[in-house]
Amino acid sequence: MATLLESIQSPADLRGLPRAQLKQLATELREFVLQSVSRTGGHLSSNLGTVELTVALHSVFNTPEDRLVWDVGHQTYPHKILTGRRDRMATLRQLGGISGFPQRAESEYDTFGTAHSSTSISAALGMALAARQKGEDRHAVAIIGDGAMTAGMAFEALNNAGVEPDCRLLVILNDNDMSISPPVGALNRYLAQLMSGQFYAAAKNVGKTVLKPVPPLFELARRFEQHAKGMVVPATLFEQFGFNYIGPIDGHDLDSLIPTLENLKNAKGPQFLHVVTKKGQGYKLAEADPVAYHGPGKFDPAVGLTPPATPPRPTFTQVFGQWLCDMAEQDERLVGITPAMREGSGMVEFHRRFPGRYYDVGIAEQHAVTFAAGMACEGLKPVVAIYSTFLQRGYDQLIHDVALQNLPVVFALDRAGLVGADGATHAGAYDIAFVRCIPNMSMACPADEAECRQLLSTAFAQNHPVAVRYPRGAGVGTQPSASLDVLPFGRGEVRREGRGIAILAFGTLLYPALAAAERLGATVVNMRWAKPLDRELLLDVAARHEALVTVEEGCIQGGAGSAVAEALAQAGVQRPQLQLGLPDQFIEHGDPARLLASQGLDAAGIERSVRERFSALAAAPQPGLKVVG
C-alpha cells in the first residue's frame, strides 16, 4: 500500500490534502529523511528539525510562484523531497546526483543557492522588491537559522527591508537552541509596550527609591527587570527594524504553524516569525547529540553511529588541532579564533584546555579577520581557523585590516582544494590566487601531515600574515613530529631527481606527482610555498630541465603555476610550461578521488597530460610499475 508521502509529487499535491493528514505526512517525511541520509550520508540533525516547518510552508504558500529562500542550505532535504526529488535522494551529494544544498539549476523550487549562510534575507528582499517593481503578486520568504543570524549581512538586509513598508517579505527565524515557554509570545508584546513608555520608566525609578533600603528585594526587582527585558528583546529589536514580530511559536506544531503563516501571508509589510525547533527532532540519538549527527556518513538508524573497525588516519584538521594546543602551551600569546566552526576546524580540545584564549565569533567571517587584527595590534598572536571558502567572505578585511598593516595573523585554511560531497560552494579553489596577490601575505602549501605541522610552526614564527592551506580529510599518513620545529621560510626541496621534465608540486598533489614521475623519468620538486616562491630553487631547476610542469589543487588562473610563469618571465628565463590544476569552472559534488581524477590531477592524469604536451621529453612507461593516485 502506497504511503501518503508517495502520493506527493509536488507541493500542489500537498496543498490538496486535508489539514488533518499533514501530521501523518510529516511523520512519514521525517522517517524518509532518516532512512535516506543513513544510506547516503549527509546533513541529518538540521533536516529532522525542519520537517513540520517545510510541510507548513508548502501548504500555505503557492510555491514555486511564492519564493522560499532557505538559509543555511543544509536544512532543505524535506524541501527537496516534497518538490519532486524524492526518488533522487539516493544520489544525494554523489557524482552526478542531487546537491546537498539548494541549486537553481536543479529545481524551480530552489529559488536561490544558499550553501553559505546569512544571505537569505538579502536575496528574498531582492525578490520581493523585484516582484513589486514588475507588478507581480507573490511572496518572498526567507527561512534563516542555524546561527546564520549572527552574521552582519543578515542585519544589513533587515535594515534595508525596514524602509520598504509595502514589500511582501516574510523572514522566519528557525531557532533551534532555545526552549519554548508558552506564555512568552503573549507576554512579549505587553511588556514591550509597557517598557517603552514613560509609565514604565517612572515606575522603575519609584521602585528603585522604595526598594533600595531593602537590598534583597532590590536585587530581586533588578533581576526581574533584566529577565523581563530579555524576554522582549527579540520583539523590540526586530520591530525597531520595521518588522512586525510574531513569536516565538513551536516549529513542530502544525496546528500553530499553519494558521500563523496564513495570517502572515495576508499581512502587509515586512513580517518576522520566530519559530523554535529542535535539531534531530524525532530521532532520539540525534536529539541527544545533534553535533555528532550534523553530517554523518552512512549508518544503521537502529544502532546509530559506531566507531570504525580500524581507526582512521589522523586528518589534517586533527593535526592542526593538536599543533594549536601544543603551540599554545609553549607561547602564551597565542589565541585561537573561529567563525562558528569549532568542531569542523578541530578546535574542541583547544577550547577545553584554553577557554580563556578561545574565541568563537559566530558566523561572522569579516569580523573574525578584523577582530584578529585588533588582537595582533596588542601583541597577541592570533590563529584564525577558517575554511578556505569562508575566508572569501572576509577578503576586504584580509587586505585592509591585516595585510595593509602587516599584522602577524596566521590563517589556518582548512578544506583547501576540492571537498567532495559539499561541492562547488565549499571547495577551496581560489585561496592561492586571492592570497598571493596581496602584499605582505605569504602562503604555505604542505604536502602531508608532518609538513603541515612544521609549516604551521613556521607561519607562527613570522612577524607578518601567513596562510597555511590544507585539504579536508587525511593525507598519505606521514606521522607528524611531536616537536614544534620549523622549516626554512619560503624554501622548497627536490624530492626526486630526473631529467628533461621537472614537475613542481604545490601541496598534497606532490604524491601523485611523484608516482607519475616514476613513469616519466621526471624530476619532482616539493615547492611548499606559493608565496614567496623559492626563486633560487626554481631558477636552478629551470636551468637543468627543458620543460616545467606545475601541479596544484587550486584554480589555474592566477594560481601557483601563474606565479612560476611570472617569476620565470621576470628573470628572463624561457621554458615551455604546462600548468595543471582546477579549470575555469565550478566543480560539483562527488567522491574526492573521482573528482581529482576527472580533472586529471591523479597520478594517471598527470602522466597523461605530460605525455600529451611533452611526448619527446618523457621517458617510456615502465611496465609493471603501480601508479598510486
Side-chain angles (χ1 to χ4, degrees), residues 81-95:
I81 294 165
L82 293 176
T83 54
R85 287 166 280 180
R86 185 182 70 251
D87 294 340
R88 297 192 64 202
M89 286 297 290
T91 70
L92 182 73
R93 293 158 48 95
Q94 299 169 38
L95 191 62

Side-chain angles (χ1 to χ4, degrees), residues 33 36 121 150 252 297 303 330 491 537 561:
V33 169
S36 178
I121 305 176
T150 61
H252 300 298
V303 176
Q330 177 175 298
R491 302 302 298 270
L537 177 59

Side-chain angles (χ1 to χ4, degrees), residues 361-431:
V361 301
I363 302 177
E365 293 86 358
Q366 294 166 294
H367 165 61
V369 176
T370 304
F371 174 64
M375 287 192 146
C377 285
E378 300 303 320
L380 298 181
K381 294 278 283 189
V383 177
V384 181
I386 187 169
Y387 289 7
S388 168
T389 186
F390 296 154
L391 183 58
Q392 295 162 187
R393 309 186 83 178
Y395 192 57
D396 178 64
Q397 290 71 25
L398 185 65
I399 296 173
H400 183 273
D401 299 335
V402 174
L404 188 63
Q405 303 183 100
N406 201 26
L407 295 170
V409 179
V410 174
F411 294 91
L413 303 189
D414 205 327
R415 271 62 166 179
L418 299 178
V419 292
D422 283 338
T425 55
H426 284 59
Y430 312 109
D431 50 54

Side-chain angles (χ1 to χ4, degrees), residues 294-379:
H294 171 72
K298 300 177 183 179
F299 68 100
D300 181 352
V303 176
L305 300 178
T306 56
T310 57
R313 296 197 305 266
T315 64
F316 280 93
T317 303
Q318 290 169 328
V319 170
F320 163 74
Q322 185 61 58
W323 170 84
L324 190 67
C325 290
D326 293 346
M327 184 59 78
E329 192 73 52
Q330 177 175 298
D331 193 328
E332 63 182 13
R333 297 174 301 165
L334 184 149
V335 290
I337 301 169
T338 177
M341 295 302 294
R342 184 187 69 161
E343 287 79 14
S345 292
M347 298 182 73
V348 173
E349 182 64 13
F350 178 81
H351 182 202
R352 186 189 69 81
R353 290 177 55 186
F354 304 97
R357 294 156 68 181
Y358 167 82
Y359 298 92
D360 184 344
V361 301
I363 302 177
E365 293 86 358
Q366 294 166 294
H367 165 61
V369 176
T370 304
F371 174 64
M375 287 192 146
C377 285
E378 300 303 320

Side-chain angles (χ1 to χ4, degrees), residues 582-598:
L582 300 179
D584 186 25
Q585 66 185 65
F586 294 112
I587 310 300
E588 291 299 338
H589 49 274
D591 175 74
R594 291 182 63 187
L595 290 178
L596 282 174
S598 73

Side-chain angles (χ1 to χ4, degrees), residues 430-443:
Y430 312 109
D431 50 54
I432 295 177
F434 75 61
V435 165
R436 78 172 190 86
C437 66
I438 304 174
N440 295 330
M441 288 288 304
S442 295
M443 167 70 84

Side-chain angles (χ1 to χ4, degrees), residues 277-301:
T277 62
K278 185 176 182 63
K279 281 189 173 182
Q281 173 74 13
Y283 183 50
K284 296 301 183 184
L285 295 175
E287 289 181 13
D289 193 350
V291 173
Y293 286 87
H294 171 72
K298 300 177 183 179
F299 68 100
D300 181 352

